[in-house]
Amino acid sequence: MSHDEPMGNFVTRDAPAYEGILQCMRCGFCLPTCPTYALTGRERSSPRGRVALARAVAENRLEFTPAVKEEAFFCLDCRACTTACPSGVHAGEIMEACRSQVHEVFPTTGLAGGLRRFILGKMVPSPELLETSMIPARLYQKLGIQWLMRHSGLLKLAPRWMEKAEGMLPPLQAPLRTQLPEIVPARGEKRGRVAFFLGCVMTLLYAEVSRQTVRVLAHQGFEVITPKQQKCCGAPHMNEGDPETARSLARHNLDLFLDLDVDAIVTDCAGCGAVLKDYEEMLEGRADHARLALFREKVRDISEFLVEVGLRTEDLRSLDLSVTYHEPCHLCHAQGISTQPRKILKAIPGVELREMKESSWCCGSAATFGLKFTEESQQILDRKLANVAATGADALVTANPGCHLQLAWGLRQAGMEQPVLHLMEVLGKALPE
Ligand code: SF4
Ligand code: SF4
């Protein structure tokens, strides 16, 4: 979706590809699917309007103005517009490419710039540094400071984004990457060998989900390899306009995982899966094409993989649980995976799936959108919570850590009691010991 040639008022590196921009025929089919257009009613905050802005910049009719910058970050990159577009326009990815332009045209300087460079360039690419960075947060919870902060009302004095970020923090466990055995044997008759891509947010914030995914895979007859040297998939970098670091992470993971003799590379994080499947495009012309194609062929979301190989259900226990399913944008829109999680839920004895209205409408999390645009994010979340409440289901199921954080926080704020569970946590509950 991006280009290295100079183009109009875009700077040279990583500009959105002009051919992609030209594909928009301005039909407007995308408009009803766009959460930011639904909120604002503003053409420039719609997929069509955003593509028109990018086109004007590419054709020298518009400078890369602060308004273009704002739209680049105001887009949730939820990709709902791509699902709806008859012309295959990727407005979200065009805006993602515009974010890298933002940092060329309006570079962040001083302390904020240094912090940004450290977090994206040093901390996130290093699993060790990332894990170390969570120690203060774990101490904050363990020593009771969190309890004190939440009950003293002090958080109300903090900026809204900070109060929200604190409120979203789930109970933290020790990092999983170093604890998880590198090889977990298959149980029962062996059906194959897979590699597990952990994903940083999932393993740092929802270690139990990753544990259940490995348990499910082993129970389904797969030997699971979890290489400890794996790094972030690059999603935060693509999201924050740092494609260069994303590419270096992609190269690392590509080499690491292709060296393993596995049938598939499986992830339980929708955001990671979408980016891993994009490596082929991200590294096009920068890595061996056959290796990129082989990597792409092997990457699977866990639900996609289990349905493809055939879910073994003989010894699953009955759960007596009604659930509703929120589709992560990066699963349904970016990867086209919509039926598989439902098939798994319906295959678990005792689970009743109650469909919610607008299950594939974004929850308002969208990486850092939920913290940058707290008001708008809340409005998008309220729409989702109303649809959840209408189902009366016991639990809300999803498959992405960003959605998980936002939905769990939203339910708590709204005084709703449903827990949020990852699909693999539901399946894990049904497994025999
Ligand atoms: S992005 Fe697609 S759906 Fe939207 S106006 Fe352009 S061509 Fe039509
Ligand atoms: S990616 Fe989502 S928020 Fe962005 S233009 Fe498309 S529908 Fe709207």
Side-chain angles (χ1 to χ4, degrees):
M1 276 298 115
S2 67
H3 227 268
D4 280 349
E5 298 300 318
M7 195 180 48
N9 287 325
F10 283 121
V11 292
T12 318
R13 272 189 303 128
D14 293 304
Y18 188 50
E19 317 83 68
I21 292 173
L22 284 184
Q23 271 171 262
C24 178
M25 52 192 183
R26 303 195 52 76
C27 63
F29 285 178
C30 54
L31 300 183
T33 69
C34 176
T36 55
Y37 181 65
L39 274 186
T40 61
R42 230 171 26 202
E43 177 70 13
R44 75 167 224 203
S45 301
S46 75
R48 183 175 65 188
R50 288 180 170 125
V51 178
L53 279 179
R55 184 169 179 172
V57 175
E59 293 175 351
N60 275 322
R61 291 182 285 112
L62 182 71
E63 291 291 326
F64 197 95
T65 60
V68 183
K69 170 186 170 180
E70 198 184 305
E71 277 315 322
F73 284 100
F74 190 48
C75 169
L76 296 147
D77 196 14
C78 68
R79 322 241 174 135
C81 51
T82 304
T83 303
C85 177
S87 191
V89 176
H90 294 255
E93 283 154 284
I94 291 170
M95 287 300 105
E96 209 172 56
C98 282
R99 291 177 194 175
S100 69
Q101 302 291 301
V102 169
H103 294 291
E104 299 285 337
V105 182
F106 308 101
T108 323
T109 51
L111 186 63
L115 198 63
R116 179 182 182 273
R117 279 192 297 281
F118 173 73
I119 292 175
L120 288 177
K122 296 268 186 282
M123 194 171 96
V124 183
S126 157
E128 294 79 13
L129 272 181
L130 254 188
E131 286 159 6
T132 309
S133 76
M134 296 305 288
I135 294 175
R138 289 214 307 281
L139 284 175
Y140 172 75
Q141 290 187 335
K142 275 218 165 72
L143 299 176
I145 308 169
Q146 181 173 54
W147 187 92
L148 209 63
M149 292 297 282
R150 288 186 178 181
H151 288 80
S152 65
L154 272 175
L155 284 166
K156 291 272 170 246
L157 304 175
R160 179 80 182 118
W161 70 266
M162 207 184 269
E163 187 193 353
K164 181 175 177 183
E166 198 284 338
M168 289 168 98
L169 208 61
L172 298 170
Q173 297 176 12
L176 185 71
R177 186 185 59 94
T178 47
Q179 292 174 20
L180 209 58
E182 203 144 349
I183 301 178
V184 172
R187 289 178 63 175
E189 189 195 333
K190 186 172 170 184
R191 298 163 85 190
R193 183 176 146 97
V194 299
F196 180 40
F197 187 87
L198 279 165
C200 358
V201 185
M202 194 67 100
T203 176
L204 291 177
L205 301 185
Y206 293 112
E208 189 50 33
V209 172
S210 308
R211 249 190 223 107
Q212 291 306 324
T213 302
V214 172
R215 207 171 141 240
V216 164
L217 283 165
H219 171 266
Q220 290 289 315
F222 293 92
E223 182 182 18
V224 188
I225 319 292
T226 310
K228 293 197 191 304
Q229 307 89 329
Q230 60 182 289
K231 293 186 176 180
C232 169
C233 62
H237 305 85
M238 292 305 286
N239 225 286
E240 285 302 313
D242 180 7
E244 195 53 54
T245 311
R247 284 193 287 267
S248 99
L249 289 165
R251 275 189 212 98
H252 171 88
N253 289 325
L254 182 87
D255 290 341
L256 178 69
F257 281 88
L258 281 186
D259 277 354
L260 304 171
D261 179 22
V262 291
D263 308 322
I265 301 162
V266 179
T267 180
D268 55 15
C269 168
C272 298
V275 172
L276 294 173
K277 287 179 179 178
D278 256 6
Y279 278 6
E280 201 175 3
E281 192 170 331
M282 280 162 66
L283 294 179
E284 194 187 277
R286 294 174 160 101
D288 179 68
H289 185 74
R291 282 172 68 75
L292 287 171
L294 182 63
F295 185 85
R296 171 64 191 86
E297 209 181 287
K298 285 180 188 267
V299 177
R300 295 284 184 284
D301 176 74
I302 182 71
S303 63
E304 181 184 23
F305 180 72
L306 291 176
V307 169
E308 210 170 279
V309 297
L311 182 71
R312 280 182 184 164
T313 55
E314 311 83 74
D315 55 355
L316 295 185
R317 295 184 302 187
S318 184
L319 290 186
D320 188 21
L321 183 73
S322 61
V323 300
T324 187
Y325 174 58
H326 160 72
E327 306 194 50
C329 300
H330 282 84
L331 202 55
C332 63
H333 299 305
Q335 299 184 60
I337 296 174
S338 202
T339 56
Q340 295 91 328
R342 292 178 162 91
K343 280 188 180 158
I344 291 174
L345 287 170
K346 286 178 184 167
I348 303 172
V351 169
E352 179 201 349
L353 173 61
R354 297 186 188 170
E355 289 290 352
M356 71 167 89
K357 227 175 99 192
E358 301 175 337
S359 61
S360 62
W361 191 264
C362 181
C363 66
S365 170
T368 51
F369 180 97
L371 296 178
K372 284 181 181 143
F373 302 96
T374 50
E375 275 308 309
E376 292 83 352
S377 169
Q378 183 68 55
Q379 289 175 48
I380 299 172
L381 178 60
D382 287 345
R383 180 168 173 159
K384 176 63 66 181
L385 294 181
N387 288 328
V388 173
T391 67
D394 300 331
L396 171 57
V397 177
T398 194
N400 188 56
C403 308
H404 202 137
L405 283 167
Q406 168 95 339
L407 293 166
W409 175 79
L411 287 168
R412 275 197 305 275
Q413 296 292 305
M416 291 164 71
E417 285 174 0
Q418 291 96 331
V420 179
L421 298 170
H422 187 283
L423 181 64
M424 287 304 107
E425 289 180 292
V426 183
L427 190 49
K429 281 180 195 291
L431 292 186
E433 286 313 314

